[in-house]
Amino acid sequence: MIDPERAAVQQETMADLPAITNNPDIRFLGKLLGDVIRAYGGEELFRRTEYIRSASVDRHRGVSGDVDLGLDRLSLDETLDFVRGFMLFSMLANLAEDRQGVAAEPGADVAAAIDRLAEEGIGKDQVTALLDHALIAPVLTAHPTEVRRKSMIDHRNRIAALMALRDTGVTTTPDGDDVEQAITRQIALLWQTRVLRRERLYVTDEVETALSYLRDVFLPVLPGLYQRWDRALGERIPSFLRPGSWIGGDRDGNPNVVAESLTTALARSCEAVLGYYLDAVHGLGAELSISTEHVAVGDDLLALAARSGDTAPSRDDEPYRRALSGIYARLAATHLALTGKPAPRPGSLKGEPCSSPQALRRDLVTIAHALAEEGDGPLATGGALGRLIRAVDTFGFHLATLDLRQNSAVHESVVAEMLKVAGVESDYAALDEGARVALLRRELANARPLVSPFASYSDETASEIAILRAAADAHAKYGPGCIRQYIVSMAMSVSDLLEVHLLLKEVGLYVPGETPTAAIMAVPLFETVSDLEAAPQIMTDWFALPEVAAIATARGVQEVMIGYSDSNKDGGYLTSTWQLSRASEALAPVFAKAGVGMQLFHGRGGAVGRGGGSAFAAIRAQPPGTVQGRIRITEQGEVIAAKYGTREAATTNLEAIAAATLLASLEPPALSDADRTRFGAAMDELSASAFKAYRGLVYETDGFRTFFRQITPIAEIANLKIGSRPASRKKSDAIEDLRAIPWVFSWAQARVMLPGWYGVGQALAAFADKGLLREMAEGWPLFAATLANMEQVIAKSDMGIAERYAALVEDRALADAIFPRIRDGWEQAKAGLLDATGQSRLLQKHPALDTSIRLRLPYIEPLNFLQIELLKRHRAGEEDPRVAEGILLSINAIATALRNSG
C-alpha cells in the first residue's frame, strides 16, 4: 500500500527528478506543475501522484526493488487526473528540452556546412551555383499522429514565449504581469483544458491547424533565415527553401477532401499571406519617414509615389511614404479580389489589384533601389523591406504550394468512365498496359475534351473532375506556384501517370500540341518494396515517350516520391531503408540519360518505422548524386509541432535540412567505389535475411493479425478523432489494408515498436563477418543512420511492459507462440546493434538522447500499466464512460511522452 510517511515528506514534487537531468527548465516547470496539481486537484491527488512518480523514478534509478506503485487503488476519477498530470509533465519536459537545444545537432546549420565544404575545397561560388536551381520543401500533411488538441499546443507555445522572456531577466510581461505567475497561469489553464477531442476532425480543422504554423512560424522565420544565409555567402541567394502542404489536396483514401476543401485551403492561405504583407507595408510606411528636404530621390521612386494617388500635404515631401501608400492600396484591392473580403485596414486610397506577386515585388524593389542610391549607409540593404521582398519571393500569393494526391486505382476508374461515356473505349480496365498507353497518348494529342456537360457521371468521377476544375481556377487566381505537383499513390506503370495528364487536359492544365505543356507535374509515388524495385524501369519508359520528354526537358526537373511507411509495413525496417536507397541510386542514371534533373520527394513519418529520425542525418546518408540540391520531405502529425511549434525550433530544423542538402549535394562521397561495392553486397544479404524474418512473422504466421489487434490498442486508437480520414484503406482487418500510421502508432503504445527493428536482429546475428558490420557502422553514413534510428526505438521499447500487453491476447497459446519470437528478435537486435557500434549499453555514444529518454521512462511505465488495466475492463464489456476516456487519455499521454510515436 501507499507509504503515507514517504508521501508526506515529499516536498519538491515533480521538480525532484532523476539525477540524470541537468535541465533547469524541467525542474522549474515540474515544480510549477506540482503546485498547480496541489492547488486545483487537491492535496490527496497531489500526494498520490507524487508517490507514484517518486516510486517509479526510484525503480528506474535502481534505488528500490519491485515497489507497489498503488495504481490499482486509484479510483477512475483519480486515474483520469493522474494520467493527465503525467501527460502534462511530458509535454512540459518536451518544451524544456527543445529550449535547451537537445534536438539540435552539431554542424547542422548552413554556416557550418559552408565551412565544412570549404575544408573540402568547395567554395562559396559552387554553393551559390547549386542554389541557383535548388529547391528544399518541407511539406506539411494531415497524417493523424498529433494527439494533442490545438488549444493544448497554443498554451504550450505561450509558456515557451514566457520562458524566453524570463531568460532575458525580465520579471514582468509587457502587460504588467509577473512572468513566473504568468507561466503558472498557463500551466493551470493546461490543467483545466480538455485534452481529448469530442468531435472528429474535419478537413477545414486540419487546414486551420496547418495555417497556424505557416502564418505564425514560416512567414516570419524564413525571411530572417535568408538574411542570415545571404550574409554567410556574401550575396543575395535565390529563395530555394519554400513550404508545401497536402492539406486540402490529398484525397488518397479520404473521401472528405473535395473541391471545396481545395478552394478553402488556398483561400485561407492567400488571406494569411496578404494580411502579412499588408501589415509589413503598413509598418514600413511608419518607418520610412525620409524627406526630400534631406535627400535626393530618383525618378523611379518619384514616379511610384506619384502613381499612388496620395496627395496629403503632410506627406508631400515624403515620397517613400506616398509610394508605400499606393502599394498598400493595391494590396488591399488584391485582398478583396482574391479572398472576397476587404482588407483588415482597407485605407482611404483606392488602387487596382496587383496582377501578380512579381508586380508587387517590382514596386518594393523600386523602393529598395532608391534607398541604395542614397549612399552606402545602413539603409542601403536588408531590414524590414528586405525581409518583405524575400517573403514575396518565397510565398507569393499562395503561402505554401499545395499538392494534389490520389490513388492510381481511382484515376483508372475515373478515366474508364470518361472514355466510356465519350464513346471512345467501352472497357478501358480490360486493356493491357501497351493498349492503355497507346489510347491515352492518342487522347492526349487530341484537343477535344472527353467530359460533356450533358452527360451524367458517378459521384466519384464528378468529384474528381470538380477538384481538377478548382485547381485550374486556382492557377488562374493565385498563379502557377499554388499547385505544382500531382502525386499518384500506388503508381505501378506509365499509364498511371498518363491518366493524370488526361485528367489535367480536361481542365486546361495539360495543353496538347507540337510541344505539349503541363502546368502541373504528374509525380509517381513508389511505396511497396516491389514498386521501389520497379521504379527505374517505369521512369525509363516514361521518359521514352517524346511528349513526356519534351515536357520534362522544358521544366528541367521531374519529381519521384518514395514512400517510407508502406515499404516498411510491407518488408520491414531494414529492407525498406535499403530498397529506398537502392531505388534512389538506380534512378539517378535514368534521369541523367534523359537529361532531366531528379527531384526526390521523401514520404517520411515521425516514427522510425515510417522513416522518422534525424532529417539531417537522413539527408546526408542519401546515395551520392541523388540529392542534386533538390529535395522535398513530408512533415506530419506530432513532428510538425515538435519541429515548427516555435520560431526557435523552426529555425533550428530549417537550418538543419538546408545544411544537410548542401552537404549531400556537394561533399565528396564518404565511401570509395570498392567500399560501396563491399558494403552494398553486405546490405543485400542483410536485407534479404531481415525481409524473410519480418515477412515470416507478420504475413506468414497464422493468427498474427488477431495477435496484433489484441496486444495493441489499435481498435481504441480509432476513437481518438485525430484525423479526417479512415484508419484503413478498405473495410477490412487485413494488415495489408491498414494504413501505416495506426500500424506504427499502435505498436508504440504497447512499447513493442516492432516496425522500427523487427528482422534486423536476425539479420545481424546471421551475418558472418561481424568486423565488416563494425566497419560499415563506422564509415558508411547510411548504415550508421539506420542503426542510430533503430537504437532510439529499442531504447524506448520495453519487452517487460510489452509482455503485459501480450497478456491481453485471449488465445494464450497464440500469445505464447508469437510473443517469444518478438522478444527474441528484440534481444538479437539490441545485441547486434551494440556489437556493430562498439557500445556496452544503448545510447552510450549519444548522452543527450540517453538522458532525454531515461528521463521519460519512469513517467511512461505507470501510464502503460494503467492503460493495460483499462483495456482489460473495456474489452470485458465495462460500460463506464470513464474507462473509455481513460484509455484515450493514456494513449494521448504515452504518445506525448514518446514524442515521435507515429
Side-chain angles (χ1 to χ4, degrees):
M1 59 184 293
I2 293 176
D3 181 350
E5 183 178 349
R6 178 178 182 177
V9 299
Q10 190 72 41
Q11 295 295 321
E12 291 191 72
T13 75
M14 291 185 178
D16 181 30
L17 300 174
I20 55 173
T21 178
N22 295 313
N23 189 319
D25 287 351
I26 293 180
R27 295 179 180 276
F28 172 71
L29 293 170
K31 179 183 183 304
L32 295 187
L33 176 60
D35 293 343
V36 165
I37 290 174
R38 177 190 274 123
Y40 290 98
E43 189 68 24
E44 182 63 22
L45 174 65
F46 164 73
R47 288 179 182 274
R48 284 179 177 269
T49 300
E50 189 53 29
Y51 173 83
I52 294 168
R53 184 204 66 77
S54 60
S56 184
V57 167
D58 286 348
R59 276 178 43 159
H60 278 268
R61 294 172 64 186
V63 174
S64 58
D66 190 15
V67 178
D68 176 10
L69 298 180
L71 297 172
D72 58 340
R73 288 180 289 281
L74 293 174
S75 69
L76 277 175
D77 286 334
E78 288 171 334
T79 295
L80 299 182
D81 285 338
F82 169 80
V83 171
R84 205 153 45 93
F86 268 37
M87 183 214 65
L88 291 182
F89 172 75
S90 296
M91 189 175 182
L92 294 172
N94 293 346
L95 166 61
E97 288 188 345
D98 291 343
R99 281 174 36 78
Q100 294 296 325
V102 169
E105 297 168 85
D109 61 84
V110 168
I114 293 169
D115 290 342
R116 185 184 183 97
L117 290 170
E119 292 172 1
E120 300 283 356
I122 299 164
K124 292 181 179 180
D125 56 335
Q126 291 166 276
V127 176
T128 55
L130 177 77
L131 295 179
D132 282 340
H133 64 267
L135 174 69
I136 301 172
V139 181
L140 309 187
T141 79
H143 289 63
T145 60
E146 174 55 84
V147 294
R148 296 170 299 175
R149 291 177 61 214
K150 183 64 168 55
S151 298
M152 303 287 289
I153 296 172
D154 288 343
H155 285 306
R156 180 256 190 214
N157 290 344
R158 292 185 193 109
I159 294 169
L162 288 165
M163 291 290 286
L165 192 63
R166 179 174 177 264
D167 290 342
T168 66
V170 173
T171 58
T172 57
T173 70
D175 296 326
D177 294 329
D178 178 85
V179 169
E180 293 196 4
Q181 287 181 4
I183 294 170
T184 305
R185 204 158 29 243
Q186 288 299 320
I187 294 174
L189 287 168
L190 271 174
W191 176 254
Q192 296 185 339
T193 296
R194 173 169 45 83
V195 175
L196 301 173
R197 298 182 180 92
R198 298 298 187 212
E199 304 293 332
R200 74 172 179 85
L201 279 178
Y202 293 91
V203 179
T204 50
D205 299 319
E206 294 168 337
V207 166
E208 291 301 318
T209 297
L211 185 62
S212 68
Y213 293 105
L214 293 167
R215 177 191 60 232
D216 301 336
V217 177
F218 281 87
L219 258 174
V221 164
L222 268 177
L225 269 178
Y226 277 117
Q227 285 188 327
R228 182 188 298 181
W229 297 337
D230 288 346
R231 288 193 296 271
L233 286 163
E235 62 179 273
R236 192 179 193 280
I237 57 176
S239 297
F240 65 92
L241 199 159
R242 306 167 185 264
S245 174
W246 274 12
I247 305 170
D250 178 12
R251 290 109 62 212
D252 182 17
N254 191 347
N256 301 306
V257 178
V258 294
E260 185 180 359
S261 310
L262 184 88
T263 302
T264 298
L266 289 168
R268 293 290 290 127
S269 293
C270 177
E271 185 177 349
V273 76
L274 289 179
Y276 177 85
Y277 296 161
L278 284 163
D279 287 344
V281 171
H282 181 77
L284 284 169
E287 179 181 323
L288 295 182
S289 55
I290 298 169
S291 170
T292 52
E293 293 179 6
H294 300 296
V295 297
V297 176
D299 292 341
D300 290 344
L301 179 68
L302 291 174
L304 186 62
R307 188 157 58 91
S308 71
D310 184 353
T311 58
S314 60
R315 289 187 290 275
D316 187 53
D317 66 327
E318 297 174 338
Y320 287 94
R321 280 182 164 168
R322 287 191 290 120
L324 286 163
S325 293
I327 293 172
Y328 190 94
R330 289 189 287 282
L331 263 177
T334 306
H335 191 285
L336 180 62
L338 295 185
T339 71
K341 303 176 184 178
R345 287 190 299 261
S348 57
L349 296 179
K350 302 299 179 185
E352 292 296 318
C354 300
S355 59
S356 66
Q358 291 72 31
L360 170 61
R361 185 186 187 281
R362 283 194 295 272
D363 287 348
L364 295 172
V365 168
T366 297
I367 295 175
H369 285 169
L371 288 170
E373 288 168 2
E374 292 176 12
D376 194 22
L379 300 180
T381 59
L385 177 60
R387 289 191 294 275
L388 177 56
I389 292 171
R390 178 64 79 175
V392 175
D393 272 346
T394 306
F395 303 108
F397 289 163
H398 57 277
L399 182 56
T401 298
L402 182 65
D403 289 358
L404 302 178
R405 184 170 82 127
Q406 184 55 283
N407 195 288
S408 61
V410 174
H411 296 147
E412 178 185 322
S413 174
V414 170
V415 167
E417 184 174 359
M418 288 166 48
L419 293 169
K420 183 176 181 179
V421 171
V424 174
E425 171 56 54
S426 61
D427 193 358
Y428 173 76
L431 300 179
D432 62 23
E433 175 66 7
R436 288 190 185 194
V437 169
L439 172 58
L440 292 169
R441 292 183 68 195
R442 286 196 303 272
E443 286 301 317
L444 284 167
N446 191 334
R448 163 188 53 79
L450 290 170
V451 175
S452 168
F454 306 108
S456 296
Y457 298 93
S458 66
D459 290 344
E460 180 179 68
T461 296
S463 179
E464 290 298 303
I465 293 170
I467 285 171
L468 287 161
R469 285 175 177 157
D473 291 343
H475 263 229
K477 193 172 188 178
Y478 307 113
C482 68
I483 303 172
R484 292 191 181 276
Q485 280 92 358
Y486 192 132
I487 314 296
V488 185
S489 299
M490 291 296 174
M492 301 177 187
S493 64
V494 167
S495 64
D496 288 338
L497 302 177
L498 289 176
E499 286 165 1
V500 170
H501 279 180
L502 189 66
L503 293 169
L504 293 173
K505 183 172 80 77
E506 288 300 308
V507 296
L509 293 173
Y510 180 100
V511 179
E514 186 174 339
T515 306
T517 60
I520 295 177
M521 185 190 335
V523 176
L525 167 51
F526 300 115
E527 301 180 75
T528 66
V529 172
S530 59
D531 291 343
L532 289 167
E533 291 172 342
Q537 186 59 54
I538 292 173
M539 296 312 296
T540 298
D541 296 343
W542 177 242
F543 289 134
L545 303 179
E547 62 274 28
V548 168
I551 292 170
T553 301
R555 187 189 294 120
V557 66
Q558 168 67 49
E559 181 170 284
V560 169
M561 185 171 185
I562 50 178
Y564 289 64
S565 302
D566 283 288
S567 60
N568 179 288
K569 185 162 71 73
D570 182 40
Y573 173 59
L574 190 65
T575 298
S576 169
T577 301
W578 182 229
Q579 289 297 332
L580 287 160
S581 179
R582 287 187 64 186
S584 301
E585 194 166 14
L587 284 167
V590 173
F591 279 72
K593 183 177 180 180
V596 176
M598 182 170 73
Q599 179 172 299
L600 291 180
F601 185 7
H602 296 260
R604 290 162 47 93
V608 169
R610 296 186 52 247
S614 163
F616 181 70
I619 294 171
R620 293 194 64 195
Q622 294 304 303
T626 63
V627 177
Q628 302 174 13
R630 303 186 70 89
I631 190 168
R632 296 208 304 152
I633 305 171
T634 56
E635 304 279 23
Q636 49 196 260
E638 80 284 6
V639 172
I640 297 176
K643 288 186 174 182
Y644 307 109
T646 65
R647 296 180 185 183
E648 294 76 18
T651 297
T652 297
N653 285 286
L654 293 171
E655 279 271 20
I657 61 174
T661 302
L662 293 181
L663 292 171
S665 302
L666 295 172
E667 260 192 319
L671 299 179
S672 66
D673 289 343
D675 282 345
R676 286 178 62 193
T677 301
R678 280 195 310 133
F679 293 173
M683 275 295 275
D684 283 339
E685 182 179 337
L686 289 166
S687 175
S689 180
F691 181 79
K692 182 179 179 181
Y694 177 86
R695 295 286 302 187
L697 175 73
V698 174
Y699 294 103
E700 297 166 11
T701 298
D702 291 339
F704 185 83
R705 182 189 310 179
T706 300
F707 174 85
F708 159 65
R709 291 190 174 276
Q710 293 181 5
I711 191 177
T712 72
I714 179 64
E716 291 76 14
I717 286 170
N719 296 318
L720 264 179
K721 301 178 176 65
I722 58 176
S724 67
R725 71 178 190 171
S728 291
R729 290 184 170 91
K730 303 175 184 176
K731 292 183 178 179
S732 157
D733 68 347
I735 291 172
E736 292 88 341
D737 295 328
L738 182 69
R739 290 190 182 279
I741 291 170
W743 166 254
V744 173
F745 193 90
S746 57
W747 282 117
Q749 287 288 313
R751 301 294 296 284
V752 181
M753 299 185 167
L754 181 140
W757 56 266
Y758 194 81
V760 184
Q762 293 90 328
L764 294 175
F767 194 80
D769 191 346
K770 299 297 192 290
L772 178 57
L773 293 178
R774 289 189 282 272
E775 190 179 346
M776 291 161 61
E778 179 68 26
W780 190 13
L782 174 66
F783 196 60
T786 300
L787 293 182
N789 288 336
M790 187 179 79
E791 185 174 8
Q792 179 187 149
V793 173
I794 292 175
K796 288 183 178 181
S797 57
D798 187 311
M799 288 300 109
I801 294 174
E803 190 167 10
R804 295 190 181 216
Y805 277 90
L808 295 170
V809 179
E810 295 171 6
D811 185 337
R812 295 315 307 154
L814 180 66
D816 292 342
I818 294 178
F819 184 75
R821 292 171 62 186
I822 294 175
R823 184 181 54 223
D824 291 348
W826 184 89
E827 293 289 354
Q828 286 180 305
K830 178 182 175 183
L833 183 145
L834 291 176
D835 184 68
T837 56
Q839 300 178 105
S840 59
R841 61 176 176 81
L842 292 173
L843 300 175
Q844 184 178 349
K845 296 181 178 179
H846 306 280
L849 183 57
D850 181 38
T851 298
S852 173
I853 291 175
R854 288 203 291 133
L855 169 69
R856 281 166 169 68
L857 295 181
Y859 295 85
I860 305 174
E861 182 178 273
L863 295 171
N864 285 123
F865 293 161
L866 283 172
Q867 184 181 88
I868 291 167
E869 292 306 311
L870 291 168
L871 286 169
K872 287 179 183 176
R873 295 168 69 169
H874 179 67
R875 293 176 182 181
E878 189 166 337
E879 296 181 354
D880 190 318
R882 291 174 297 178
V883 173
E885 183 177 0
I887 292 170
L888 298 182
L889 272 175
S890 69
I891 292 171
N892 191 305
I894 292 168
T896 300
L898 291 173
R899 302 205 76 170
N900 53 346
S901 60

